[in-house]
Amino acid sequence: LPSYGHYFFARGSGMPVEGAGWPTVRPNAGTIGMGSSSVGQGLRGQGVFRSPSLRFWEPPVLPPTTRLSPNTYADRLRGLVIPTPENLNFEESLSVMLREFANRCNRVTDLHFPPLAAQLRSIGGMTKDTPLRSGDYFCTRHSNLDGVVQVAFHLLTRSSEAPASDEVQAATHRALKRIVCDCHRCHVAELSLPLLLLDIGTSESSLPYAVTQRRAENVLR
């Protein structure tokens, strides 16, 4: 602090005092002179010294606080469930929803986390010996989606070769419960998921209305 370092301790250490310049040290007399005036009355009889290791400067001026961009993290964390067939879990070009998600991620460079493709390759390498199956899921993190989504839960579903039906596997229901628990533990405030939990695009539909209605009800149970 300037009030303490410059006006009290600096006088005993031989450092310059603001407004008075460098003091004259007289170890024998125990008096310190400031320019033409003497301020050593309170230090008479005390030993004084000058040490080059003792340095006092003005307090550093800190840069202004940089607030996190709301376009990156927004005011709360948001998650997205991406259903992916188990036989296409790391193929961006084959999975419909994963391809659309990757296209959005590739529009802007992610400066905080690795690109989506790099995260998928890393997960693929870690699960090479024990492949993921339907009902498993993994997470990828993102900061380049305008604050809309920060974490994606890639939920593996039945193979894309299996016919679509209104039934939802029990393993998928258990995975959704675990995803909700993970969101609660990691303070993810919002979670979005496709109503049918199928790997279909926004303009595609391969189920009749009655089957679609029953499947939506089964997903939300």
Side-chain angles (χ1 to χ4, degrees):
L1 296 176
S3 60
Y4 180 83
H6 285 78
Y7 293 99
F8 292 94
F9 189 79
R11 294 182 179 183
S13 61
M15 300 305 299
V17 177
E18 183 178 357
W22 284 88
T24 302
V25 180
R26 298 178 181 178
N28 296 331
T31 303
I32 303 178
M34 297 295 179
S36 60
S37 62
S38 178
V39 294
Q41 299 297 329
L43 299 175
R44 189 175 302 278
Q46 300 180 11
V48 295
F49 60 92
R50 176 182 296 178
S51 173
S53 62
L54 296 176
R55 291 289 184 266
F56 282 86
W57 289 282
E58 292 291 338
V61 179
L62 300 178
T65 303
T66 302
R67 303 187 63 179
L68 294 178
S69 172
N71 294 331
T72 302
Y73 293 107
D75 56 346
R76 61 180 63 188
L77 296 179
R78 297 179 173 91
L80 172 67
V81 177
I82 302 178
T84 307
E86 58 182 346
N87 58 322
L88 307 176
N89 53 352
F90 301 114
E91 297 293 337
E92 299 179 25
S93 59
L94 299 180
S95 177
V96 177
M97 294 194 66
L98 183 57
R99 181 173 63 249
E100 295 181 0
F101 183 73
N103 291 337
R104 292 181 179 271
C105 291
N106 294 333
R107 292 178 183 177
V108 180
T109 302
D110 197 326
L111 302 179
H112 292 257
F113 304 109
L116 174 62
Q119 296 188 58
L120 294 178
R121 287 195 301 268
S122 176
I123 296 173
M126 291 186 295
T127 59
K128 186 176 181 179
D129 296 333
T130 56
L132 299 177
R133 299 177 299 176
S134 177
D136 296 333
Y137 66 93
F138 56 90
C139 305
T140 56
R141 298 176 295 175
H142 310 275
S143 65
N144 57 344
L145 297 174
D146 296 330
V148 178
V149 173
Q150 291 83 24
V151 57
F153 297 92
H154 302 262
L155 175 60
L156 271 66
T157 57
R158 293 191 304 177
S159 172
S160 59
E161 300 175 356
S165 65
D166 59 349
E167 297 182 359
V168 179
Q169 291 181 312
T172 302
H173 275 143
R174 291 193 296 268
L176 287 176
K177 292 180 181 179
R178 296 197 303 271
I179 290 175
V180 172
C181 291
D182 288 342
C183 290
H184 176 72
R185 185 174 63 253
C186 299
H187 304 285
V188 177
E190 298 181 12
L191 180 66
S192 303
L193 71 156
L195 185 58
L196 301 180
L197 281 182
L198 292 175
D199 183 39
I200 56 178
T202 55
S203 60
E204 300 179 19
S205 178
S206 58
L207 296 177
Y209 176 78
V211 178
T212 301
Q213 184 179 19
R214 290 195 299 269
R215 181 175 179 86
E217 294 174 352
N218 292 332
V219 169
L220 298 177
R221 284 183 178 177

